[in-house]
mmCIF file of all heavy atoms in Angstrom:
data_model
loop_
_atom_site.group_PDB
_atom_site.id
_atom_site.type_symbol
_atom_site.label_atom_id
_atom_site.label_comp_id
_atom_site.label_asym_id
_atom_site.label_seq_id
_atom_site.Cartn_x
_atom_site.Cartn_y
_atom_site.Cartn_z
ATOM 1 N N ALA A 1 -6.702 72.163 46.020
ATOM 2 C CA ALA A 1 -5.996 71.889 47.277
ATOM 3 C C ALA A 1 -5.018 70.730 47.063
ATOM 4 O O ALA A 1 -5.186 69.902 46.175
ATOM 5 C CB ALA A 1 -6.995 71.531 48.373
ATOM 6 N N THR A 2 -3.982 70.699 47.897
ATOM 7 C CA THR A 2 -2.982 69.636 47.848
ATOM 8 C C THR A 2 -2.858 69.002 49.222
ATOM 9 O O THR A 2 -2.629 69.703 50.215
ATOM 10 C CB THR A 2 -1.609 70.181 47.415
ATOM 11 O OG1 THR A 2 -1.716 70.759 46.101
ATOM 12 C CG2 THR A 2 -0.574 69.057 47.375
ATOM 13 N N ILE A 3 -3.028 67.697 49.272
ATOM 14 C CA ILE A 3 -2.914 66.947 50.523
ATOM 15 C C ILE A 3 -1.609 66.167 50.484
ATOM 16 O O ILE A 3 -1.395 65.335 49.615
ATOM 17 C CB ILE A 3 -4.101 65.983 50.715
ATOM 18 C CG1 ILE A 3 -5.432 66.719 50.517
ATOM 19 C CG2 ILE A 3 -4.023 65.310 52.074
ATOM 20 C CD1 ILE A 3 -5.653 67.873 51.471
ATOM 21 N N GLY A 4 -0.719 66.449 51.417
ATOM 22 C CA GLY A 4 0.615 65.872 51.402
ATOM 23 C C GLY A 4 0.668 64.393 51.728
ATOM 24 O O GLY A 4 -0.291 63.793 52.223
ATOM 25 N N LEU A 5 1.825 63.825 51.478
ATOM 26 C CA LEU A 5 2.096 62.413 51.729
ATOM 27 C C LEU A 5 1.785 62.038 53.167
ATOM 28 O O LEU A 5 2.201 62.703 54.108
ATOM 29 C CB LEU A 5 3.573 62.138 51.423
ATOM 30 C CG LEU A 5 4.105 60.729 51.611
ATOM 31 C CD1 LEU A 5 3.645 59.852 50.467
ATOM 32 C CD2 LEU A 5 5.633 60.744 51.690
ATOM 33 N N LYS A 6 0.998 60.978 53.357
ATOM 34 C CA LYS A 6 0.664 60.400 54.656
ATOM 35 C C LYS A 6 -0.084 61.355 55.598
ATOM 36 O O LYS A 6 -0.122 61.129 56.803
ATOM 37 C CB LYS A 6 1.919 59.877 55.354
ATOM 38 C CG LYS A 6 2.571 58.717 54.615
ATOM 39 C CD LYS A 6 3.757 58.145 55.394
ATOM 40 C CE LYS A 6 4.359 56.956 54.668
ATOM 41 N NZ LYS A 6 5.511 56.385 55.410
ATOM 42 N N ALA A 7 -0.697 62.401 55.057
ATOM 43 C CA ALA A 7 -1.548 63.258 55.879
ATOM 44 C C ALA A 7 -2.822 62.497 56.238
ATOM 45 O O ALA A 7 -3.221 61.568 55.547
ATOM 46 C CB ALA A 7 -1.892 64.542 55.135
ATOM 47 N N SER A 8 -3.468 62.888 57.338
ATOM 48 C CA SER A 8 -4.689 62.224 57.795
ATOM 49 C C SER A 8 -5.799 63.253 57.954
ATOM 50 O O SER A 8 -5.624 64.257 58.644
ATOM 51 C CB SER A 8 -4.446 61.511 59.133
ATOM 52 O OG SER A 8 -3.474 60.495 58.987
ATOM 53 N N LEU A 9 -6.942 62.993 57.323
ATOM 54 C CA LEU A 9 -8.082 63.895 57.380
ATOM 55 C C LEU A 9 -9.297 63.123 57.866
ATOM 56 O O LEU A 9 -9.576 62.014 57.382
ATOM 57 C CB LEU A 9 -8.375 64.505 56.012
ATOM 58 C CG LEU A 9 -7.390 65.540 55.464
ATOM 59 C CD1 LEU A 9 -6.071 64.912 55.033
ATOM 60 C CD2 LEU A 9 -8.000 66.276 54.275
ATOM 61 N N PHE A 10 -10.044 63.714 58.801
ATOM 62 C CA PHE A 10 -11.182 63.054 59.413
ATOM 63 C C PHE A 10 -12.493 63.722 58.995
ATOM 64 O O PHE A 10 -12.505 64.704 58.252
ATOM 65 C CB PHE A 10 -11.038 63.078 60.928
ATOM 66 C CG PHE A 10 -9.885 62.258 61.442
ATOM 67 C CD1 PHE A 10 -8.614 62.795 61.534
ATOM 68 C CD2 PHE A 10 -10.071 60.935 61.820
ATOM 69 C CE1 PHE A 10 -7.549 62.039 61.988
ATOM 70 C CE2 PHE A 10 -9.014 60.165 62.276
ATOM 71 C CZ PHE A 10 -7.744 60.726 62.368
ATOM 72 N N GLY A 11 -13.588 63.167 59.499
ATOM 73 C CA GLY A 11 -14.892 63.735 59.232
ATOM 74 C C GLY A 11 -15.039 65.124 59.836
ATOM 75 O O GLY A 11 -14.347 65.475 60.794
ATOM 76 N N ASP A 12 -15.928 65.915 59.269
ATOM 77 C CA ASP A 12 -16.178 67.286 59.711
ATOM 78 C C ASP A 12 -14.928 68.143 59.557
ATOM 79 O O ASP A 12 -14.583 68.951 60.426
ATOM 80 C CB ASP A 12 -16.675 67.316 61.155
ATOM 81 C CG ASP A 12 -17.286 68.656 61.536
ATOM 82 O OD1 ASP A 12 -17.563 69.456 60.617
ATOM 83 O OD2 ASP A 12 -17.470 68.909 62.737
ATOM 84 N N VAL A 13 -14.234 67.961 58.425
ATOM 85 C CA VAL A 13 -13.063 68.761 58.072
ATOM 86 C C VAL A 13 -13.323 69.407 56.716
ATOM 87 O O VAL A 13 -13.855 68.761 55.813
ATOM 88 C CB VAL A 13 -11.779 67.901 58.013
ATOM 89 C CG1 VAL A 13 -10.655 68.633 57.293
ATOM 90 C CG2 VAL A 13 -11.328 67.518 59.412
ATOM 91 N N VAL A 14 -12.942 70.673 56.588
ATOM 92 C CA VAL A 14 -13.050 71.376 55.310
ATOM 93 C C VAL A 14 -11.690 71.976 54.978
ATOM 94 O O VAL A 14 -11.140 72.755 55.762
ATOM 95 C CB VAL A 14 -14.112 72.494 55.362
ATOM 96 C CG1 VAL A 14 -14.156 73.234 54.026
ATOM 97 C CG2 VAL A 14 -15.487 71.917 55.689
ATOM 98 N N VAL A 15 -11.160 71.596 53.825
ATOM 99 C CA VAL A 15 -9.890 72.140 53.338
ATOM 100 C C VAL A 15 -10.206 73.152 52.259
ATOM 101 O O VAL A 15 -10.849 72.835 51.256
ATOM 102 C CB VAL A 15 -8.980 71.023 52.789
ATOM 103 C CG1 VAL A 15 -7.683 71.624 52.238
ATOM 104 C CG2 VAL A 15 -8.677 69.995 53.870
ATOM 105 N N GLY A 16 -9.752 74.384 52.452
ATOM 106 C CA GLY A 16 -10.103 75.473 51.562
ATOM 107 C C GLY A 16 -9.461 75.387 50.193
ATOM 108 O O GLY A 16 -8.515 74.623 49.954
ATOM 109 N N GLU A 17 -9.949 76.214 49.298
ATOM 110 C CA GLU A 17 -9.464 76.239 47.923
ATOM 111 C C GLU A 17 -7.993 76.626 47.870
ATOM 112 O O GLU A 17 -7.565 77.626 48.450
ATOM 113 C CB GLU A 17 -10.298 77.222 47.101
ATOM 114 C CG GLU A 17 -9.907 77.291 45.643
ATOM 115 C CD GLU A 17 -10.812 78.199 44.834
ATOM 116 O OE1 GLU A 17 -11.867 78.596 45.365
ATOM 117 O OE2 GLU A 17 -10.450 78.512 43.681
ATOM 118 N N GLY A 18 -7.207 75.823 47.161
ATOM 119 C CA GLY A 18 -5.795 76.128 46.979
ATOM 120 C C GLY A 18 -4.920 75.870 48.198
ATOM 121 O O GLY A 18 -3.719 76.130 48.163
ATOM 122 N N ALA A 19 -5.495 75.354 49.273
ATOM 123 C CA ALA A 19 -4.716 75.131 50.493
ATOM 124 C C ALA A 19 -3.760 73.957 50.311
ATOM 125 O O ALA A 19 -4.006 73.041 49.530
ATOM 126 C CB ALA A 19 -5.653 74.861 51.667
ATOM 127 N N THR A 20 -2.658 73.998 51.046
ATOM 128 C CA THR A 20 -1.680 72.920 51.016
ATOM 129 C C THR A 20 -1.544 72.329 52.413
ATOM 130 O O THR A 20 -1.232 73.041 53.370
ATOM 131 C CB THR A 20 -0.308 73.424 50.544
ATOM 132 O OG1 THR A 20 -0.417 73.903 49.196
ATOM 133 C CG2 THR A 20 0.721 72.299 50.584
ATOM 134 N N ILE A 21 -1.780 71.035 52.516
ATOM 135 C CA ILE A 21 -1.612 70.325 53.778
ATOM 136 C C ILE A 21 -0.289 69.567 53.710
ATOM 137 O O ILE A 21 -0.066 68.779 52.791
ATOM 138 C CB ILE A 21 -2.783 69.339 54.021
ATOM 139 C CG1 ILE A 21 -4.125 70.067 53.907
ATOM 140 C CG2 ILE A 21 -2.631 68.667 55.378
ATOM 141 C CD1 ILE A 21 -4.275 71.248 54.831
ATOM 142 N N LYS A 22 0.585 69.817 54.652
ATOM 143 C CA LYS A 22 1.928 69.254 54.606
ATOM 144 C C LYS A 22 1.912 67.741 54.856
ATOM 145 O O LYS A 22 0.999 67.216 55.490
ATOM 146 C CB LYS A 22 2.809 69.943 55.644
ATOM 147 C CG LYS A 22 3.022 71.429 55.376
ATOM 148 C CD LYS A 22 3.880 72.052 56.461
ATOM 149 C CE LYS A 22 4.072 73.529 56.206
ATOM 150 N NZ LYS A 22 4.902 74.174 57.270
ATOM 151 N N PRO A 23 2.957 67.050 54.395
ATOM 152 C CA PRO A 23 3.062 65.604 54.654
ATOM 153 C C PRO A 23 3.001 65.301 56.146
ATOM 154 O O PRO A 23 3.564 66.025 56.967
ATOM 155 C CB PRO A 23 4.433 65.253 54.067
ATOM 156 C CG PRO A 23 4.642 66.263 52.984
ATOM 157 C CD PRO A 23 4.031 67.538 53.508
ATOM 158 N N ASN A 24 2.283 64.230 56.485
ATOM 159 C CA ASN A 24 2.132 63.734 57.855
ATOM 160 C C ASN A 24 1.280 64.624 58.754
ATOM 161 O O ASN A 24 1.121 64.317 59.938
ATOM 162 C CB ASN A 24 3.497 63.514 58.513
ATOM 163 C CG ASN A 24 4.303 62.437 57.824
ATOM 164 O OD1 ASN A 24 3.868 61.300 57.712
ATOM 165 N ND2 ASN A 24 5.488 62.793 57.341
ATOM 166 N N ASP A 25 0.713 65.702 58.226
ATOM 167 C CA ASP A 25 -0.181 66.528 59.038
ATOM 168 C C ASP A 25 -1.456 65.753 59.372
ATOM 169 O O ASP A 25 -1.887 64.876 58.615
ATOM 170 C CB ASP A 25 -0.570 67.807 58.293
ATOM 171 C CG ASP A 25 0.420 68.935 58.535
ATOM 172 O OD1 ASP A 25 1.411 68.691 59.253
ATOM 173 O OD2 ASP A 25 0.214 70.032 58.008
ATOM 174 N N VAL A 26 -2.060 66.093 60.501
ATOM 175 C CA VAL A 26 -3.315 65.478 60.929
ATOM 176 C C VAL A 26 -4.354 66.573 61.102
ATOM 177 O O VAL A 26 -4.148 67.506 61.896
ATOM 178 C CB VAL A 26 -3.147 64.702 62.251
ATOM 179 C CG1 VAL A 26 -4.486 64.133 62.700
ATOM 180 C CG2 VAL A 26 -2.121 63.581 62.093
ATOM 181 N N LEU A 27 -5.448 66.491 60.367
ATOM 182 C CA LEU A 27 -6.539 67.457 60.485
ATOM 183 C C LEU A 27 -7.658 66.812 61.296
ATOM 184 O O LEU A 27 -8.388 65.950 60.800
ATOM 185 C CB LEU A 27 -7.048 67.880 59.106
ATOM 186 C CG LEU A 27 -6.025 68.520 58.162
ATOM 187 C CD1 LEU A 27 -6.715 69.074 56.925
ATOM 188 C CD2 LEU A 27 -5.232 69.613 58.870
ATOM 189 N N LEU A 28 -7.760 67.221 62.541
ATOM 190 C CA LEU A 28 -8.752 66.649 63.440
ATOM 191 C C LEU A 28 -10.147 67.166 63.119
ATOM 192 O O LEU A 28 -10.299 68.190 62.434
ATOM 193 C CB LEU A 28 -8.373 66.978 64.885
ATOM 194 C CG LEU A 28 -7.051 66.390 65.376
ATOM 195 C CD1 LEU A 28 -6.737 66.871 66.792
ATOM 196 C CD2 LEU A 28 -7.074 64.868 65.322
ATOM 197 N N PRO A 29 -11.185 66.469 63.576
ATOM 198 C CA PRO A 29 -12.558 66.905 63.313
ATOM 199 C C PRO A 29 -12.788 68.361 63.683
ATOM 200 O O PRO A 29 -12.204 68.873 64.646
ATOM 201 C CB PRO A 29 -13.388 65.967 64.200
ATOM 202 C CG PRO A 29 -12.562 64.730 64.290
ATOM 203 C CD PRO A 29 -11.141 65.204 64.341
ATOM 204 N N LYS A 30 -13.613 69.024 62.904
ATOM 205 C CA LYS A 30 -14.000 70.427 63.047
ATOM 206 C C LYS A 30 -12.917 71.385 62.577
ATOM 207 O O LYS A 30 -13.039 72.603 62.738
ATOM 208 C CB LYS A 30 -14.415 70.760 64.486
ATOM 209 C CG LYS A 30 -15.559 69.889 65.011
ATOM 210 C CD LYS A 30 -16.032 70.344 66.370
ATOM 211 C CE LYS A 30 -17.097 69.402 66.919
ATOM 212 N NZ LYS A 30 -18.271 69.289 66.027
ATOM 213 N N THR A 31 -11.841 70.869 61.983
ATOM 214 C CA THR A 31 -10.804 71.731 61.431
ATOM 215 C C THR A 31 -11.311 72.416 60.171
ATOM 216 O O THR A 31 -11.940 71.788 59.317
ATOM 217 C CB THR A 31 -9.535 70.927 61.101
ATOM 218 O OG1 THR A 31 -9.026 70.347 62.295
ATOM 219 C CG2 THR A 31 -8.462 71.816 60.485
ATOM 220 N N ARG A 32 -11.029 73.695 60.049
ATOM 221 C CA ARG A 32 -11.374 74.466 58.865
ATOM 222 C C ARG A 32 -10.105 75.143 58.354
ATOM 223 O O ARG A 32 -9.561 76.022 59.013
ATOM 224 C CB ARG A 32 -12.444 75.521 59.182
ATOM 225 C CG ARG A 32 -13.760 74.948 59.702
ATOM 226 C CD ARG A 32 -14.487 74.167 58.630
ATOM 227 N NE ARG A 32 -15.794 73.697 59.071
ATOM 228 C CZ ARG A 32 -16.026 72.518 59.642
ATOM 229 N NH1 ARG A 32 -15.001 71.686 59.875
ATOM 230 N NH2 ARG A 32 -17.230 72.155 59.992
ATOM 231 N N ILE A 33 -9.645 74.717 57.193
ATOM 232 C CA ILE A 33 -8.461 75.307 56.591
ATOM 233 C C ILE A 33 -8.918 76.377 55.595
ATOM 234 O O ILE A 33 -9.657 76.077 54.670
ATOM 235 C CB ILE A 33 -7.622 74.240 55.851
ATOM 236 C CG1 ILE A 33 -7.254 73.094 56.801
ATOM 237 C CG2 ILE A 33 -6.365 74.880 55.253
ATOM 238 C CD1 ILE A 33 -6.418 73.513 57.976
ATOM 239 N N PRO A 34 -8.490 77.635 55.779
ATOM 240 C CA PRO A 34 -8.929 78.706 54.886
ATOM 241 C C PRO A 34 -8.367 78.553 53.503
ATOM 242 O O PRO A 34 -7.412 77.810 53.266
ATOM 243 C CB PRO A 34 -8.404 79.964 55.583
ATOM 244 C CG PRO A 34 -7.252 79.499 56.391
ATOM 245 C CD PRO A 34 -7.610 78.109 56.852
ATOM 246 N N ASP A 35 -8.927 79.282 52.560
ATOM 247 C CA ASP A 35 -8.481 79.226 51.183
ATOM 248 C C ASP A 35 -7.028 79.641 51.045
ATOM 249 O O ASP A 35 -6.561 80.603 51.699
ATOM 250 C CB ASP A 35 -9.335 80.140 50.311
ATOM 251 C CG ASP A 35 -10.776 79.656 50.205
ATOM 252 O OD1 ASP A 35 -11.021 78.498 50.583
ATOM 253 O OD2 ASP A 35 -11.630 80.421 49.723
ATOM 254 N N ARG A 36 -6.278 78.893 50.259
ATOM 255 C CA ARG A 36 -4.931 79.221 49.784
ATOM 256 C C ARG A 36 -3.837 79.188 50.847
ATOM 257 O O ARG A 36 -2.691 79.431 50.557
ATOM 258 C CB ARG A 36 -4.915 80.591 49.089
ATOM 259 C CG ARG A 36 -5.859 80.654 47.925
ATOM 260 C CD ARG A 36 -5.640 81.885 47.062
ATOM 261 N NE ARG A 36 -6.636 81.943 46.008
ATOM 262 C CZ ARG A 36 -6.614 81.216 44.902
ATOM 263 N NH1 ARG A 36 -5.618 80.378 44.708
ATOM 264 N NH2 ARG A 36 -7.569 81.323 44.005
ATOM 265 N N GLU A 37 -4.166 78.937 52.064
ATOM 266 C CA GLU A 37 -3.113 78.807 53.069
ATOM 267 C C GLU A 37 -3.625 77.970 54.211
ATOM 268 O O GLU A 37 -4.812 77.852 54.442
ATOM 269 C CB GLU A 37 -2.681 80.183 53.588
ATOM 270 C CG GLU A 37 -3.783 80.932 54.318
ATOM 271 C CD GLU A 37 -3.320 82.281 54.832
ATOM 272 O OE1 GLU A 37 -2.151 82.627 54.606
ATOM 273 O OE2 GLU A 37 -4.129 82.988 55.430
#
């Protein structure tokens, strides 16, 4: 997985295999990012 510049990730978050999180994105609690997208 790739976490972009200045992105914010909190507890109870799962980022899937190969996923890309864009710069400045915020992943709030309970967020589930699927594999590769």
Side-chain angles (χ1 to χ4, degrees):
T2 299
I3 309 300
L5 180 76
K6 295 185 178 180
S8 297
L9 289 72
F10 294 86
D12 195 14
V13 165
V14 178
V15 178
E17 182 176 348
T20 297
I21 307 304
K22 296 179 181 179
N24 296 302
D25 272 2
V26 177
L27 301 189
L28 297 176
K30 303 186 184 302
T31 299
R32 300 292 184 269
I33 304 298
D35 293 346
R36 302 192 184 282
E37 64 179 1

